[in-house]
Amino acid sequence: MNILEKHIEDPRLKEIAAKITSGGRINMDEGLVLYTGADLSLLAMLSGIVRRRQNRNYVFFNKNFHIEPTNKCIHNCRFCSYHKPEGDPESWEYTHDDMLAIVRKFDDKEVTEVHIVGGVHPSYDIQYYGELVQKIKHYRPGLHIKAFSAIELDYMITKSGVTISEGLGELKKYGLDSIPGGGAEIFDSEIRKKICAEKASAERWLEIHETAHNLGIPSNATMLYGHLENYAHRIDHLARLRELQDKTGGFNAFIPLKFKKANNSMSWLGEVSMTEDLKNYAVSRIFLDNIPHIKAYWPMIGREVAQMSLLFGADD
């Protein structure tokens, strides 16, 4: 028994800590115990062990910029503060030239990546987005293009009348390098019906990412937390991601996304505390033992919490 285990009174947590420190994998029940029974100090220690096992004491970042082609969207997710329907005076849709102008703004900057994601526009298909990717790649060949959430991909691929594999293959030929993790929200079907009933299912999200991985297109994964879900829903979500990663190895990073209450129909829920944020980073790092990086998205949680997350398993 090591010194860490000596100071743990709960026998369940002592057993879990022993498993983690010896390099073992925790199961879903044990993940739930960490969410409900472990204090922050223990979670910090255990997630730090896994973090250093994965990435030593390194912290990773890239220099990127974002392009949001449109905020027009066929979906109307209850948690979304971004969506605008066709005809709304606050809606926008950029042309290819508009978006290339954004790329040119970074001509003298040492950026490594462009992140392209936006609403699900009713008119845009694979050819439209593929040609955009092709133009950016032609203008700046060394720029990594991470683009289009699984929800956008589902619509544009379906609209184009091709299979997932064919659609992703075409986008790869155009120059797509990787895809982001958006649209996962929470995988539980009942919660999904309540917060994003119109959106592609969890199974479809996972199918798109699995197909991308099999085509050599890596991706990220996300989870929206702090709304109607409970800890069991979170563990189920993490377990499905871990299972897919065991099959493909294609996820680069996992990003917990905190529900924000402003300007949406779920604002009455409020927002979870910083303590909950840190707990979620820690349990995610411990449970997702096969995903290389845990990303703290500082524009959503703030710089200070992002810095603190480095003590709770995040490294990106």
Side-chain angles (χ1 to χ4, degrees), residues 12-170:
R12 299 174 305 165
L13 289 173
K14 186 170 292 189
E15 184 177 338
I16 293 168
K19 182 182 284 189
I20 294 166
T21 55
S22 64
R25 168 174 280 189
I26 66 170
N27 60 36
M28 293 176 67
D29 288 339
E30 291 166 333
L32 197 55
V33 169
L34 289 180
Y35 265 129
T36 58
D39 61 30
L40 275 185
S41 60
L42 177 59
L43 288 173
M45 287 187 283
L46 294 176
S47 61
I49 289 169
V50 179
R51 177 190 185 278
R52 289 187 293 275
R53 187 180 294 144
Q54 286 274 5
N55 297 301
R56 293 188 280 176
N57 279 322
Y58 293 122
V59 176
F60 300 85
F61 66 95
N62 65 2
K63 296 181 179 180
N64 72 355
F65 64 97
H66 286 222
I67 295 175
E68 299 174 1
T70 182
N71 65 347
K72 294 180 180 180
C73 189
I74 62 170
H75 302 307
N76 190 20
C77 303
R78 292 186 61 206
F79 57 82
C80 184
S81 307
Y82 182 82
H83 151 275
K84 298 297 178 187
E86 185 79 36
D88 189 290
E90 295 183 1
S91 67
W92 76 79
E93 53 182 26
Y94 293 143
T95 66
H96 284 185
D97 287 343
D98 292 333
M99 290 182 273
L100 284 169
I102 295 172
V103 176
R104 291 189 186 96
K105 290 180 180 179
F106 294 87
D107 280 353
D108 58 347
K109 304 291 194 304
E110 294 181 357
V111 292
T112 57
E113 174 189 279
V114 57
H115 182 134
I116 307 172
V117 66
V120 180
H121 193 284
S123 303
Y124 295 167
D125 59 9
I126 282 180
Q127 183 177 356
Y128 177 86
Y129 282 118
E131 289 175 357
L132 170 65
V133 169
Q134 186 178 56
K135 289 175 182 178
I136 294 172
K137 208 67 163 178
H138 178 76
Y139 181 76
R140 191 162 178 174
L143 194 63
H144 181 100
I145 300 177
K146 179 172 69 180
F148 318 128
S149 72
I151 308 304
E152 294 169 272
L153 290 166
D154 178 51
Y155 182 80
M156 73 174 78
I157 288 170
T158 301
K159 184 176 179 63
S160 301
V162 297
T163 67
I164 294 173
S165 182
E166 290 168 342
L168 286 169
E170 281 300 304

Side-chain angles (χ1 to χ4, degrees), residues 76-313:
N76 190 20
C77 303
R78 292 186 61 206
F79 57 82
C80 184
S81 307
Y82 182 82
H83 151 275
K84 298 297 178 187
E86 185 79 36
D88 189 290
E90 295 183 1
S91 67
W92 76 79
E93 53 182 26
Y94 293 143
T95 66
H96 284 185
D97 287 343
D98 292 333
M99 290 182 273
L100 284 169
I102 295 172
V103 176
R104 291 189 186 96
K105 290 180 180 179
F106 294 87
D107 280 353
D108 58 347
K109 304 291 194 304
E110 294 181 357
V111 292
T112 57
E113 174 189 279
V114 57
H115 182 134
I116 307 172
V117 66
V120 180
H121 193 284
S123 303
Y124 295 167
D125 59 9
I126 282 180
Q127 183 177 356
Y128 177 86
Y129 282 118
E131 289 175 357
L132 170 65
V133 169
Q134 186 178 56
K135 289 175 182 178
I136 294 172
K137 208 67 163 178
H138 178 76
Y139 181 76
R140 191 162 178 174
L143 194 63
H144 181 100
I145 300 177
K146 179 172 69 180
F148 318 128
S149 72
I151 308 304
E152 294 169 272
L153 290 166
D154 178 51
Y155 182 80
M156 73 174 78
I157 288 170
T158 301
K159 184 176 179 63
S160 301
V162 297
T163 67
I164 294 173
S165 182
E166 290 168 342
L168 286 169
E170 281 300 304
L171 288 169
K172 185 177 181 182
K173 289 177 185 176
Y174 277 119
L176 180 70
D177 293 302
S178 66
I179 62 178
E185 319 315 353
I186 202 80
F187 287 151
D188 180 82
S189 60
E190 293 305 310
I191 299 296
R192 209 169 179 85
K193 286 177 186 176
K194 295 176 181 177
I195 67 171
C196 55
E198 304 165 12
K199 187 172 280 186
S201 67
E203 291 73 22
R204 183 71 164 175
W205 189 99
L206 291 163
E207 181 185 8
I208 289 169
H209 281 261
E210 180 173 1
T211 304
H213 297 172
N214 290 336
L215 290 170
I217 304 171
S219 69
N220 290 337
T222 62
M223 177 176 71
L224 182 70
Y225 71 96
H227 47 92
L228 298 178
E229 94 291 354
N230 59 36
Y231 290 141
H233 297 137
R234 293 190 203 176
I235 286 293
D236 169 70
H237 189 101
L238 296 176
R240 297 198 215 187
L241 293 175
R242 190 170 74 177
E243 180 181 4
L244 179 53
Q245 183 73 344
D246 280 342
K247 289 174 65 178
T248 67
F251 287 124
N252 286 329
F254 172 70
I255 309 107
L257 297 176
K258 180 175 184 172
F259 167 71
K260 305 296 285 184
K261 67 179 182 179
N263 302 317
N264 61 64
S265 64
M266 292 170 59
S267 60
W268 57 273
L269 287 170
E271 296 177 10
V272 297
S273 67
M274 179 181 67
T275 298
E276 191 64 36
D277 297 332
L278 298 175
K279 176 190 291 187
N280 201 50
Y281 280 112
V283 176
S284 298
R285 175 66 286 171
I286 294 164
F287 195 88
L288 296 174
D289 55 9
N290 56 359
I291 294 183
H293 305 290
I294 303 295
K295 183 188 294 288
Y297 186 51
W298 67 263
M300 182 169 280
I301 59 173
R303 291 179 184 270
E304 292 78 11
V305 177
Q307 289 171 332
M308 290 184 66
S309 75
L310 299 177
L311 300 174
F312 291 84

